[in-house]
Amino acid sequence: MNKAYFLSASNKEIDSIISGLNNHSFEGIAISSLFELKKRCSNTKPDIIFVADNLKEKDINQLIPSILGSNETGGLPIIGITTTSGSLESTKSFFAHGAVDVIHLPVDIEEIILRTQLRMQEAGIQNALTPNDFFFYEAQEKEQGKRSGIFHFYNQMKVKVGEISIIEGFVVCATYGSIIKEDAFLQLACSPVLSFRFEDKTDIKEGVIKVGITNLLLEAFKLKDEIKKQEIYSEDTLKGLIIDGNRIARLLANRALKDMQIESKVVDSNEFSIRLLARFTPNFLILDYSAAEKILNLIWHNGRTESDIPVIIYCDEDIKDINFSKIGKHIIDYVTYKKQLHLEIKEVLSKLFNFSPENK
């Protein structure tokens, strides 16, 4: 029998819901304080918790985080209940602070049961997630076993953010936000903050790609290692990737690096891919300002930090103020004008990689 706790002040409609659940293979229990809820959960955990917006001891903004952050009640799905006609503010607060659903009174008992069963099922799936550290092993196992199915990926809030479909061990489709195909696979495989579950399915549709898992895992492993800043470099071992939609500007930047005997590669910002990054494995990036945030979002979904490979932004002259150190959620190392890059690049790289001409 499923157990549901109702944290609420006295309310006849909620009492009626509890009575209705008790007649449909549920055990509903009314609780009037957060202290009592935690005490009961320490002895017997319910399958789900309902929280009404009529408690005076704490408002929703305090109450839901207290429940989710407690050892006794953390991890349990919460459904909010609005008890007044002006329910919009309560609804927004419930969802903003972690409730999985919100019910508005009055409500039919059948709807309550359907919603409750669905949210408990979702919670059961999400609580069975595997940390992404184990994805490499799991993916190889699926390839060796010629399995078919879907890897579902979730963020820290246990919200689904992407998936990888495989047929008999071959990747046929991958999505991660707006990223698709091999790039999505590499991003999903490399992210340390995601978790996943695998769903066995035999009716997977053929996709636009068909790639062996091991090959992509090798690229992902290389990418994961190379996008972090390394400790030891000399000027001769550096590789730079220049990304710019302006062909002349990127070729001039490339010439500046070639003059320093630095291996470099140029690519149009519309043609850049994570797979290209994984294969070339640059030690630093030079990005056109207009495309920089889009490119950085593709590489560092959660934001670039100072521990990642250096990023240099170069701008056209119509950008009047270049005194910035962040673009969106990404930290950047240096900003200059395109016409100045060839004059400044040697000194910039010397500082970023701790070498100077006399040490060569």
Side-chain angles (χ1 to χ4, degrees), residues 141-206:
E141 183 184 70
K142 301 302 183 283
E143 182 181 50
Q144 292 166 3
K146 296 185 178 180
R147 300 271 288 279
S148 297
I150 302 174
F151 283 101
H152 302 275
F153 290 82
Y154 300 81
N155 63 16
Q156 300 102 311
M157 300 298 292
K158 296 186 177 180
V159 174
K160 185 176 175 181
V161 294
E163 62 181 37
I164 295 171
S165 299
I166 63 173
I167 297 178
E168 295 183 352
F170 285 91
V171 177
V172 295
C173 181
T175 61
Y176 184 27
S178 61
I179 309 171
I180 60 172
K181 300 192 288 187
E182 291 95 339
D183 276 10
F185 181 100
L186 296 177
Q187 283 285 41
L188 290 168
C190 288
S191 176
V193 298
L194 300 181
S195 52
F196 70 91
R197 66 180 179 88
F198 183 74
E199 176 189 9
D200 278 299
K201 285 177 71 72
T202 57
D203 57 346
I204 304 294
K205 295 180 180 178
E206 294 284 349

Side-chain angles (χ1 to χ4, degrees), residues 75-319:
L76 296 171
I78 298 172
I79 294 181
I81 300 177
T82 63
T83 59
T84 61
S85 56
S87 60
L88 180 59
E89 289 305 313
S90 291
T91 300
K92 290 194 292 186
S93 292
F94 274 126
F95 280 127
H97 291 88
V100 297
D101 203 351
V102 180
I103 290 168
H104 311 292
L105 297 181
V107 65
D108 186 85
I109 190 63
E110 295 296 331
E111 181 181 344
I112 288 277
I113 291 170
L114 289 172
R115 285 174 178 259
T116 302
Q117 289 173 336
L118 176 61
R119 301 313 171 202
M120 289 192 303
Q121 181 182 22
E122 290 175 344
I125 291 171
Q126 292 178 353
N127 287 333
L129 299 180
T130 302
N132 225 28
D133 292 342
F134 297 94
F135 175 70
F136 281 60
Y137 170 79
E138 291 281 346
Q140 283 184 309
E141 183 184 70
K142 301 302 183 283
E143 182 181 50
Q144 292 166 3
K146 296 185 178 180
R147 300 271 288 279
S148 297
I150 302 174
F151 283 101
H152 302 275
F153 290 82
Y154 300 81
N155 63 16
Q156 300 102 311
M157 300 298 292
K158 296 186 177 180
V159 174
K160 185 176 175 181
V161 294
E163 62 181 37
I164 295 171
S165 299
I166 63 173
I167 297 178
E168 295 183 352
F170 285 91
V171 177
V172 295
C173 181
T175 61
Y176 184 27
S178 61
I179 309 171
I180 60 172
K181 300 192 288 187
E182 291 95 339
D183 276 10
F185 181 100
L186 296 177
Q187 283 285 41
L188 290 168
C190 288
S191 176
V193 298
L194 300 181
S195 52
F196 70 91
R197 66 180 179 88
F198 183 74
E199 176 189 9
D200 278 299
K201 285 177 71 72
T202 57
D203 57 346
I204 304 294
K205 295 180 180 178
E206 294 284 349
V208 293
I209 59 173
K210 187 174 183 180
V211 188
I213 289 176
T214 296
N215 291 335
L216 287 176
L217 288 176
L218 289 173
E219 290 185 34
F221 185 82
K222 190 177 181 183
L223 175 66
K224 190 174 183 179
D225 186 54
E226 292 295 334
I227 62 175
K228 289 295 180 185
K229 189 182 295 183
Q230 304 296 317
E231 294 296 325
I232 301 173
Y233 283 112
S234 69
E235 194 171 345
D236 336 349
T237 63
L238 290 179
K239 293 195 296 183
L241 179 62
I242 303 161
I243 306 171
D244 192 345
N246 185 316
R247 181 174 177 272
I248 294 176
R250 66 178 186 255
L251 290 178
L252 289 174
N254 186 50
R255 179 183 295 176
L257 296 183
K258 295 292 186 186
D259 288 345
M260 294 177 62
Q261 306 301 309
I262 292 175
E263 184 181 351
S264 59
K265 189 177 186 67
V266 296
V267 63
D268 189 305
S269 50
N270 293 321
E271 297 173 353
F272 170 79
S273 70
I274 298 298
R275 204 171 191 194
L276 181 150
L277 184 72
R279 289 176 170 177
F280 183 62
T281 59
N283 307 119
F284 65 94
L285 305 177
I286 298 176
L287 306 180
D288 170 47
Y289 173 78
S290 63
E293 187 169 8
K294 176 184 175 183
I295 299 298
L296 293 169
N297 285 339
L298 287 173
I299 302 170
W300 292 285
H301 198 71
N302 296 303
R304 182 193 170 269
T305 68
E306 292 178 344
S307 64
D308 297 312
I309 61 172
V311 171
I312 298 166
I313 304 297
Y314 71 161
C315 309
D316 292 315
E317 293 180 45
D318 58 341
I319 307 299

Side-chain angles (χ1 to χ4, degrees), residues 40-56:
R40 280 184 173 272
C41 287
S42 65
N43 295 321
T44 306
K45 287 191 183 296
D47 298 286
I48 198 160
I49 297 173
F50 290 84
V51 178
D53 64 354
N54 61 0
L55 285 165
K56 294 182 179 180

